[in-house]
Amino acid sequence: MKRTKIAEVLSQPEVGATYCVKGWVRAFRSNRFIQLNDGSTINNLQAVVDFEQFDEAMLKKITTASAVGLTGVLAESQGSGQAVELVVSAIEIIGEANPDDVQKTVMQPKKHSLEYLREQAHLRFRTNTFGAVFRVRHAVSYAIHQFFNDRGFYYIHTPIITGSDAEGAGEMFRVTNLDAAQPPLKEDGSVDFEQDFFGKQVNLTVSGQLEGELAAMGLGSIYTFGPTFRAENSNTSRHLAEFWMIEPEVAFNDIHDNMDLAENMLKYICQYVMDTCKDDLAFLNERETAEQQSKPQNERAELTLIERLQFVVANDFKRITYTEAIDVLMNSSHYKKKKFKYDVSWGTDLQSEHERYLVEKEFKRPVIITDYPASFKAFYMRANEGCESGKETVAAMDILFPGIGEMVGGSQREERLDVLKKKCADFGIHEEELWWYLDTRRFGSVPHAGFGLGFERMVMFVTGMSNIRDVIPFPRTPQNAEF
Ligand code: 4AD
Ligand code: MG
């Protein structure tokens, strides 16, 4: 008999119909009630076994974590807790699981710490929390493609191996097939990368933006959605060495259009998750609420996870310039009471404590900060006109989210060839290396803008998970590339 997924059985139950379901046993109580989960939904299907009808030795194999196929008639449930249950007439043992071994894993049905679950990332898909997180992760990804497709954007696959450092931060992983023990050397003793696979030094990309801009200069509106790699040694709950980024780029858009696009996209994702992930979201909401109870009163979130999503959808993001943000911070009682660890003054970068203050204390909503000093932003951002000397700013935008910090970073791009060439010189970038990028400014250059959304940070926000390692199946962080 053809298998039906449990999600389908539970969402359109046909009482009296015969079903075959396959999944993993979450629990087998009283030799009678099997809780079966197949990953299609957070909800288990309850199956009822009349033990007198089956061979005892076979029933012994129905243990937590084992895989079984069950066939039977769907009936209204006698017990509370579920509307329907499967009255089992045939059992197929598909994969056994030794109970003693299961005891040593996260599949043992009890509460485990997220740290312990991370050590068993290969098995944590079997838990309620990670089942929910990865179903929601899928939904967010799907929502993003749908959002852009509906608006006439083309999905562009930009290269993963590249010779350029788009962000100029020098945090790159080198890609080479030279013999690490005996690389070919030049006369001066340095490694001769001309003999490397690509005939030059290449690395894993930190951003698909530069190539995305090239595509936007012909296709109009594009987006990338791919893996990005950063060798920054920041062991925080918000950084990964390998993460996924979405980077739209739109010809003829300015910084204001760019802000509108990003705000609409973020709201769309939140609404999509609320509409399509109801069961998982309800579970994650519960989970977070329970976790909050163990925290001191003053550290608890004011809104629940679902309330936060509703809030983001319903309220305009606060938009302020960097200069205004500095003023707000300097006029805050927090600043006057010397509660910030880092200095606040025009020309210094905002630290995460400052960003958190603005988002969580001052405005209590997502905040878009624009027009940052040119000195700490990337070379490609458009120089603002009419700046006071020494106070040059660029048309940058960062979107900060409560509990997360920077969710989106973007800008209007420098489309003026002469200004861009000067920027390259100032940043020590050789024009020959970026000849192809500069070329787009030679042939019908137009104003354009784009941004990058950190995919895992968005998944953190919509799932309420507080560590980025818990929203990607196999996290890569300093000293950690297991699985
Ligand atoms: O602000 P970033 O560095 O911007 C860019 O890379 C631009 N090229 C984007 C563009 O304009 N097309 O990175 C964009 C976003 C950040 O706001 C953050 O959400 C996320 O990527 N991000 C990280 N996420 C996880 N781990 C890391 N190490 C991250 N670094 C950045
Ligand atoms: Mg940034």
Side-chain angles (χ1 to χ4, degrees):
M1 193 182 175
K2 203 172 147 288
R3 168 172 91 103
T4 308
K5 287 197 179 177
I6 290 175
E8 192 187 319
V9 177
L10 294 177
S11 63
Q12 302 144 22
E14 258 184 72
V15 169
T18 302
Y19 289 97
C20 168
V21 291
K22 293 180 181 177
W24 294 273
V25 174
R26 285 290 175 86
F28 186 24
R29 276 186 300 115
S30 323
N31 234 1
R32 190 165 167 77
F33 301 106
I34 300 175
Q35 297 297 331
L36 198 71
N37 191 286
D38 67 0
S40 62
T41 157
I42 190 151
N43 300 308
N44 299 331
L45 177 69
Q46 171 156 297
V48 195
V49 179
D50 177 359
F51 61 84
E52 286 180 347
Q53 270 189 42
F54 296 95
D55 173 44
E56 208 185 316
M58 196 262 285
L59 288 182
K60 279 219 164 72
K61 293 180 181 167
I62 306 177
T63 56
T64 297
S66 63
V68 298
L70 304 173
T71 305
V73 172
L74 198 68
E76 270 172 39
S77 178
Q78 309 296 310
S80 60
Q82 63 281 318
V84 290
E85 59 194 19
L86 195 74
V87 181
V88 178
S89 53
I91 299 174
E92 180 194 1
I93 305 290
I94 300 171
E96 294 177 41
N98 180 321
D100 292 336
D101 292 340
V102 169
Q103 286 294 312
K104 296 175 202 143
T105 75
V106 298
M107 293 177 297
Q108 186 199 5
K110 66 167 213 185
K111 205 170 157 28
H112 303 288
S113 74
L114 293 171
E115 289 77 11
Y116 179 58
L117 285 151
R118 241 171 262 151
E119 289 170 18
Q120 294 185 19
H122 59 308
L123 299 176
R124 65 180 179 171
F125 297 104
R126 294 273 192 103
T127 65
N128 279 333
T129 298
F130 287 91
V133 165
F134 293 121
R135 278 186 296 270
V136 172
R137 183 180 164 113
H138 162 78
V140 174
S141 149
Y142 194 81
I144 289 166
H145 285 298
Q146 189 157 301
F147 175 85
F148 286 119
N149 184 59
D150 287 352
R151 285 158 187 75
F153 284 64
Y154 302 110
Y155 178 25
I156 292 289
H157 299 99
T158 49
I160 290 169
I161 298 174
T162 159
S164 56
D165 176 9
E167 296 307 299
E171 295 160 335
M172 294 171 304
F173 291 102
R174 176 166 298 157
V175 178
T176 176
N177 71 343
L178 292 179
D179 179 354
Q182 270 183 316
L185 299 179
K186 292 199 281 202
E187 271 177 15
D188 65 2
S190 62
V191 175
D192 184 6
F193 285 102
E194 280 185 23
Q195 294 191 44
D196 204 346
F197 190 90
F198 295 103
K200 63 176 195 171
Q201 287 193 51
V202 293
N203 42 270
L204 294 176
T205 188
V206 295
S207 158
Q209 178 196 323
L210 301 188
E211 291 89 351
E213 280 187 55
L214 311 181
M217 288 304 108
L219 290 163
S221 303
I222 64 92
Y223 69 106
T224 72
F225 190 160
T228 32
F229 307 87
R230 295 197 184 176
E232 51 189 331
N233 208 353
S234 28
N235 227 328
T236 77
S237 57
R238 296 183 176 85
H239 288 89
L240 291 165
E242 175 180 296
F243 63 100
W244 289 68
M245 194 168 18
I246 295 93
E247 296 184 274
E249 194 68 40
V250 187
F252 310 108
N253 264 11
D254 67 10
I255 186 79
H256 302 286
D257 304 319
N258 207 32
M259 284 191 270
D260 292 342
L261 180 68
E263 183 168 339
N264 288 338
M265 177 194 66
L266 295 168
K267 288 180 165 164
Y268 183 93
I269 296 169
C270 292
Q271 187 63 52
Y272 186 91
V273 169
M274 285 192 284
D275 291 344
T276 60
C277 305
K278 287 199 169 70
D279 291 345
D280 288 320
L281 201 54
F283 170 84
L284 291 165
N285 196 62
E286 260 310 270
R287 184 197 160 273
E288 193 200 64
T289 308
E291 191 186 68
Q292 294 285 323
Q293 298 306 317
S294 62
K295 289 187 178 172
Q297 195 87 38
N298 62 344
E299 283 174 29
R300 291 185 199 166
E302 282 174 35
L303 302 178
T304 67
L305 170 61
I306 293 175
E307 286 168 347
R308 293 200 296 276
L309 298 183
Q310 288 166 338
F311 183 91
V312 165
V313 171
N315 292 282
D316 288 342
F317 294 5
K318 177 73 187 175
R319 300 182 183 192
I320 56 167
T321 65
Y322 165 87
T323 304
E324 287 162 349
I326 293 289
D327 280 345
V328 170
L329 289 169
M330 290 181 83
N331 286 317
S332 68
S333 61
H334 216 75
Y335 177 78
K336 288 175 184 153
K337 289 184 195 149
K338 298 196 165 37
K339 283 194 188 162
F340 290 124
K341 195 166 144 222
Y342 293 91
D343 179 37
V344 182
S345 63
W346 202 100
T348 54
D349 207 351
L350 297 175
Q351 298 294 325
S352 100
E353 58 170 351
H354 306 135
E355 295 180 344
R356 292 194 73 149
Y357 179 86
L358 292 169
V359 172
E360 288 159 27
K361 297 275 186 298
E362 180 73 27
F363 299 114
K364 295 184 189 289
R365 64 181 60 207
V367 177
I368 312 183
I369 304 185
T370 58
D371 306 292
Y372 283 85
S375 59
F376 47 78
K377 288 289 180 188
F379 79 99
Y380 52 71
M381 297 195 181
R382 191 178 198 279
N384 285 326
E385 277 138 50
C387 296
E388 211 181 293
S389 162
K391 287 205 164 184
E392 284 80 13
T393 59
V394 287
M397 61 175 225
D398 275 6
I399 306 187
L400 312 177
F401 259 55
I404 307 284
E406 185 187 329
M407 181 72 87
V408 163
S411 69
Q412 187 172 332
R413 319 305 189 187
E414 186 54 76
E415 84 285 11
R416 298 161 295 187
L417 182 62
D418 52 333
V419 184
L420 188 58
K421 280 175 139 186
K422 188 170 174 308
K423 265 313 231 336
C424 286
D426 292 348
F427 278 72
I429 299 168
H430 300 295
E431 281 183 31
E432 316 81 76
E433 280 168 30
L434 284 182
W435 64 272
W436 40 273
Y437 186 71
L438 294 169
D439 246 13
T440 55
R441 274 65 173 172
R442 288 197 178 92
F443 306 109
S445 188
V446 299
H448 59 289
F451 60 83
L453 165 68
F455 182 60
E456 282 76 19
R457 293 197 185 168
M458 191 63 198
V459 179
M460 285 173 80
F461 184 74
V462 297
T463 57
M465 300 302 283
S466 52
N467 194 312
I468 199 163
R469 294 169 177 83
D470 298 329
V471 297
I472 187 163
F474 302 107
R476 269 79 181 99
T477 51
Q479 299 298 313
N480 173 34
E482 193 65 47
F483 308 106

